[in-house]
């Protein structure tokens, strides 16, 4: 079996997953996009959180050309991506009880805001507590996770619950437990993860829905333009000025 064939198999797997979430999660995407639009229209702020590789999808909707200017990253030091040394520290921090409460207490998030939490497994203490504590503050929570983990793994939170149990809207990425789409008889471990592709697509679908819902209500969506096109910086400057009290990544 050639590398080219494996590449094609991965593309087929990713496309199949994208088709599944498009068809099976359509109502949830609409609900999530409407929830964010409601938050924007009511003067609330938008935040996104993810730990480890789940943070990649969260970061993809923050300060993004073509994206909503009001989406802010809720970062947990040491757990954002794999830039911390050693990289395994990030995984360890996801299992620390009480960390989410400390992060929320030090963040600008408040009642009336909305928080998108990305966690593939949804089983670790950090995303579970982040959702629980955010909702206790009066924050609406959108969870992006693989619901399969809730039936095929054990929760690592003391409550025995998963991220999906503490959300106003759940988006199921349909990713199989283990996040590896390919196998070979000659390779001892499964490989080729697709969670980043699918999760990022789900979130961009939500962002598109939010923009459309706001436009339907006669509200101009606070969108950013690329700084690499003429007039982009000027456009963004006006958006930053208009929504200065709801944008935190420039402070």
């Amino acid at each position: 079996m050639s590398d080219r064939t494996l590449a094609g198999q991965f593309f087929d797997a990713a496309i199949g997953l994208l088709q599944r979430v498009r068809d099976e999660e359509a109502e949830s995407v609409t609900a999530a996009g409407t929830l964010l639009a409601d938050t924007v229209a009511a003067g609330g702020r938008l935040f996104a959180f993810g730990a480890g590789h789940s943070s990649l999808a969260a970061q993809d909707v923050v300060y993004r050309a073509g994206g909503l200017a009001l989406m802010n990253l809720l970062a947990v030091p040491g757990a954002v991506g794999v830039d911390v040394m050693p990289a395994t520290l990030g995984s360890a921090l996801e299992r620390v009880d009480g960390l989410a409460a400390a992060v929320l207490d030090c963040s600008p998030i408040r009642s009336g805001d909305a928080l998108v939490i990305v966690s593939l497994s949804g089983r670790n203490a950090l995303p579970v507590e982040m959702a629980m504590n955010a909702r206790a503050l009066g924050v609406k929570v959108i969870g992006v996770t693989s619901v399969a983990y809730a039936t095929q793994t054990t929760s690592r939170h003391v409550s025995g619950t998963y991220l999906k149990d503490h959300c106003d809207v759940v988006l199921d990425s349909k990713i199989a437990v283990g996040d590896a789409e390919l196998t070979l008889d000659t390779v001892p471990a499964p490989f080729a993860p697709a969670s980043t592709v699918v999760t990022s697509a789900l979130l961009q679908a939500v962002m598109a829905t939010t923009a459309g819902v706001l436009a339907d209500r006669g509200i101009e969506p606070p969108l950013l333009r690329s700084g690499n096109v003429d007039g982009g910086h000027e456009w963004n400057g006006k958006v930053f000025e208009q929504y200065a009290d709801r944008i935190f990544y420039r402070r």
Side-chain angles (χ1 to χ4, degrees), residues 40 44-47 67-72 222 239 243 246-247 249:
V40 171
R45 295 87 58 82
L46 310 179
F47 295 85
L68 293 172
L70 304 191
M71 186 63 73
N72 301 277
V239 174
Y243 293 97
R246 298 159 77 178
I247 295 173
Y249 51 80

Side-chain angles (χ1 to χ4, degrees), residues 145-215:
T145 187
S146 170
V147 173
Y149 276 83
T151 58
Q152 300 178 41
T153 68
T154 302
S155 171
R156 289 179 174 142
H157 187 254
V158 64
S159 68
T161 60
Y162 296 76
L163 169 61
K164 73 174 186 64
D165 300 316
H166 306 284
C167 300
D168 296 279
V169 179
V170 175
L171 299 173
D172 183 3
S173 64
K174 315 295 182 181
I175 299 295
V177 174
D179 192 16
E181 294 300 318
L182 303 182
T183 59
L184 272 179
D185 292 341
T186 54
V187 178
F191 54 99
S195 60
T196 303
V197 173
V198 177
T199 302
S200 292
L202 267 173
L203 283 182
Q204 291 299 347
V206 170
M207 298 300 115
T209 301
T210 301
V213 171
L214 288 171

Side-chain angles (χ1 to χ4, degrees), residues 3-23:
D3 289 343
R4 188 173 184 179
T5 301
L6 287 173
Q9 287 185 357
F10 176 75
F11 281 122
D12 288 344
I15 291 168
L17 284 164
L18 289 171
Q19 290 174 331
R20 280 193 66 194
V21 296
R22 178 196 63 194
D23 298 339

Side-chain angles (χ1 to χ4, degrees), residues 55-70:
S55 180
L56 297 176
Q59 293 180 61
D60 192 48
V61 295
V62 177
Y63 186 45
R64 190 71 163 83
L68 293 172
L70 304 191

